[in-house]
Amino acid sequence: MSLAIIHSRARLGIDAPAVSVEVHLANGMPSLTLVGLPETAVRESKDRVRSALQNAQLEFPGSRRITISLAPADLPKEGSHYDLPIALALLGAIDILPNDVIQSTVALGELSLDGSLIPVIGALPAAMAAAENGRSLLCPAASGAEAAWVGNAQVIAAPSLGAVVRHYTGQTPLPPATPGEVSQSPSQHDLRDVKGQERAKRALEIAAAGRHHLMFVGTPGSGKSMLAARLPSILPPLTPQEALSTSMIHSLAGLLDDGGISRLRPFREPHHTASMAAIIGGGRLAKPGEVSLAHNGVLFMDEFPEFPRTVLETLRQPVETGEVMIARANAHVKYPCKFMLVAAANPCKCGYLSDPSRACSKAPACGEDYMNRVSGPLRDRFDLRIDVPPVGYTDLDLPPSAEGSAEVAQRVKAARRRQHDRFADHPTAALNADAEGDLLEQIAAPDTEARQLLSRAAERFHLSARGYHRVLRVARTIADLDGAGDVRKPHLAEALSFRLPSVAVA
């Protein structure tokens, strides 16, 4: 047979569009033509495939006119994972492999010159897409463990091209791949290590319970980074569905070790010199950025005002919508990014605005100038804002707190369980931070006394509509931590105190 077709997958964010690899052999002058918008790595595949076939003692039809088409032709093809499907289609065209078998397979993998298969990124999204179409996935052995997490798709992981041929010809069938290990290593940090800062710990607990965005402002050495580093220790593990969606993004970034999936929530902490593409995503292959790598977890941005203004402003839409769209000339790639943003900042450039004996000569104007690097609309998106005062020397000599991360984590887990039960019939909401519109009014309707307090505070402090709703969400979370069915005045007062930390709410 002179025509063979096998299926593969392109990479377009967490989606994996279908690609048909078609090989046609014809008489004429020996040549090899590759069409279908291939970029450099794909165009170079013909040389890798030729060497791999020859070194694996397999026939390469070099005396024929070979045309390889990657369809659809208007979809740009990037990456080296088309090597394996091209090689298999060539073998199908010369009847070494049965065409009916390879047509029911989605293949991806890079070939080395000796015929061994090199792991590729994006095996997990490709396996998800293959399962939706009822096909099996053929991939390199090192990529099989992550792809096998898609339970309703058969995954064959092969070490070499020769092993693939022996499998499809029935000589030595390969066993289905098995999923990698599940990592659930507990956090090495504990809230018990933090001396003092009880109010900041309370803010951390509320933020963890409802996935609320949190900003710490305090002098250098007051414990802002230390508190943020202990946030993972009080968060519940990822659910199986969350672990799979998070791992799909990490697969595209090449962050899955040995195909293992972690049940720990991501904790990303980029440096303040990070570029916009590093934070939001982008680059040549429109890879996911830190906001997407923190999906279902935490994005901690230390020295928040030191980030470039343009980078900070790009956070506004992802924080609000839970997804980010990377627009390029030839593609629009969407990534999910439901994360908890935790920011830490000094009150001014020198850091000692609140201490007249140590503040610089520009105080207090320097504090306003410094914090104005963060725009008002972005600050308005933080549900909780907490001043972190310096820790006294006497507090450092105190014994560890009787309550550590384990105790706080139990309360957070119970509060989240109440939210999951509440939103069981709402596919767009899972936690209080997701509630909006009529749904928010329904679940967080305050009683008469609490509503009067909220009205007075909104009028006096000119709360925006966004700020008004975020206070309600935080109050609902505080009520969940308290085990209360209704939002009452104490819950709302505490939520307002975190929204307006320098003002006593009465």
Side-chain angles (χ1 to χ4, degrees):
M1 184 177 182
S2 60
L3 176 67
I5 300 173
I6 190 172
H7 301 281
S8 187
R9 289 283 168 173
R11 290 198 296 264
L12 192 64
I14 60 172
D15 298 322
V19 172
S20 295
V21 180
E22 305 169 349
V23 170
H24 179 252
L25 304 181
N27 296 324
M29 290 293 292
S31 64
L32 194 157
T33 305
L34 181 60
V35 298
L37 285 184
E39 55 90 48
T40 303
V42 184
R43 289 197 300 269
E44 292 173 346
S45 66
K46 58 186 180 182
D47 299 313
R48 292 191 297 270
V49 168
R50 179 187 289 108
S51 296
L53 287 171
Q54 292 172 349
N55 289 320
Q57 306 302 313
L58 296 167
E59 181 182 352
F60 179 79
S63 61
R64 309 283 297 277
R65 181 181 179 87
I66 306 171
T67 303
I68 303 172
S69 174
L70 307 179
D74 60 346
L75 176 68
K77 315 303 187 303
E78 299 177 317
S80 59
H81 62 283
Y82 294 106
D83 290 3
L84 181 59
I86 289 174
L88 296 182
L90 280 168
L91 294 173
I94 57 178
D95 295 325
I96 290 181
L97 292 179
N99 277 279
D100 57 339
V101 175
I102 63 174
Q103 283 193 30
S104 64
T105 301
V106 173
L108 69 161
E110 179 182 343
L111 284 169
S112 66
L113 299 186
D114 64 356
S116 59
L117 286 170
I118 300 173
V120 293
I121 64 174
L124 186 55
M128 292 281 290
E132 291 175 0
N133 291 334
R135 294 191 173 100
S136 60
L137 178 73
L138 174 66
C139 64
S143 301
E146 67 174 84
W149 281 104
V150 183
N152 54 346
Q154 185 188 44
V155 176
I156 302 298
S160 66
L161 182 57
V164 174
V165 173
R166 290 190 293 273
H167 170 76
Y168 283 121
T169 56
Q171 301 174 50
T172 311
L174 293 168
T178 56
E181 297 294 326
V182 178
S183 173
Q184 287 184 299
S185 302
S187 173
Q188 301 300 314
H189 301 297
D190 196 289
L191 276 178
R192 192 174 278 110
D193 303 331
V194 181
K195 303 292 182 68
Q197 304 296 13
E198 297 304 321
R199 181 169 169 78
K201 292 180 185 178
R202 174 63 173 171
L204 209 63
E205 178 180 345
I206 296 170
R211 205 185 68 235
H212 300 294
H213 305 303
L214 169 66
M215 175 182 276
F216 289 128
V217 179
T219 56
S222 57
K224 303 184 296 295
S225 301
M226 188 177 185
L227 284 160
R230 279 143 185 80
L231 185 54
S233 68
I234 64 174
L235 289 171
L238 293 168
T239 65
Q241 183 177 1
E242 289 175 333
L244 191 59
S245 64
T246 301
S247 296
M248 287 178 66
I249 301 173
H250 288 191
S251 173
L252 292 169
L255 298 180
L256 296 185
D257 297 328
D258 299 323
I261 286 184
S262 176
R263 293 292 299 274
L264 300 178
R265 294 190 179 271
F267 184 82
R268 308 293 299 183
E269 41 185 341
H271 192 261
H272 62 261
T273 57
S275 66
M276 186 184 301
I279 299 295
I280 299 300
R284 187 175 61 86
L285 298 177
K287 287 189 175 181
E290 293 291 336
V291 296
S292 297
L293 295 174
H295 181 53
N296 290 321
V298 179
L299 177 64
F300 174 50
M301 301 180 73
D302 203 2
E303 308 297 344
F304 196 57
E306 297 292 340
F307 281 83
R309 179 71 176 262
T310 54
V311 172
L312 293 181
E313 291 307 299
T314 57
L315 290 172
R316 287 158 58 173
Q317 183 181 2
V319 162
E320 199 73 24
T321 64
E323 60 184 21
V324 58
M325 175 70 78
I326 302 173
R328 294 295 179 266
N330 59 355
H332 287 69
V333 181
K334 182 185 292 185
Y335 290 108
C337 58
K338 284 193 174 183
F339 60 93
M340 183 195 310
L341 177 60
V342 178
N346 294 327
C348 61
K349 189 69 176 178
C350 71
Y352 299 102
L353 182 66
S354 59
D355 187 351
S357 64
R358 304 176 70 182
C360 66
S361 59
K362 297 181 180 180
C366 65
E368 184 176 350
D369 292 341
Y370 188 69
M371 292 307 296
N372 279 342
R373 295 184 181 184
V374 182
S375 68
L378 181 55
R379 286 200 300 266
D380 198 40
R381 284 165 165 79
F382 284 96
D383 305 281
L384 301 102
R385 309 169 195 166
I386 177 71
D387 292 327
V388 184
V391 180
Y393 300 117
T394 55
D395 291 335
L396 298 177
D397 293 331
L398 294 174
S401 173
E403 185 176 76
S405 293
E407 291 77 14
V408 176
Q410 288 300 317
R411 293 198 296 269
V412 170
K413 182 178 179 180
R416 287 206 171 196
R417 189 183 300 114
R418 294 186 185 97
Q419 294 170 64
H420 289 154
D421 293 342
R422 178 183 302 130
F423 297 121
D425 298 328
H426 297 277
T428 60
L431 295 171
N432 292 331
D434 302 324
E436 56 185 11
D438 293 339
L439 177 60
L440 178 61
E441 291 293 337
Q442 177 185 343
I443 67 167
D447 60 21
T448 303
E449 198 174 20
R451 187 174 293 277
Q452 292 174 352
L453 171 63
L454 180 58
S455 299
R456 292 198 306 270
E459 182 178 356
R460 179 179 175 186
F461 302 115
H462 308 289
L463 286 178
S464 66
R466 179 187 293 114
Y468 181 93
H469 291 140
R470 288 185 180 274
V471 168
L472 278 179
R473 292 170 184 160
V474 173
R476 178 65 266 177
T477 299
I478 294 172
D480 287 335
L481 286 168
D482 197 30
D486 299 324
V487 175
R488 299 192 292 268
K489 183 177 180 180
H491 306 140
L492 203 53
E494 186 175 9
L496 284 167
S497 73
F498 284 116
R499 187 80 186 179
L500 310 162
S502 60
V503 180
V505 180

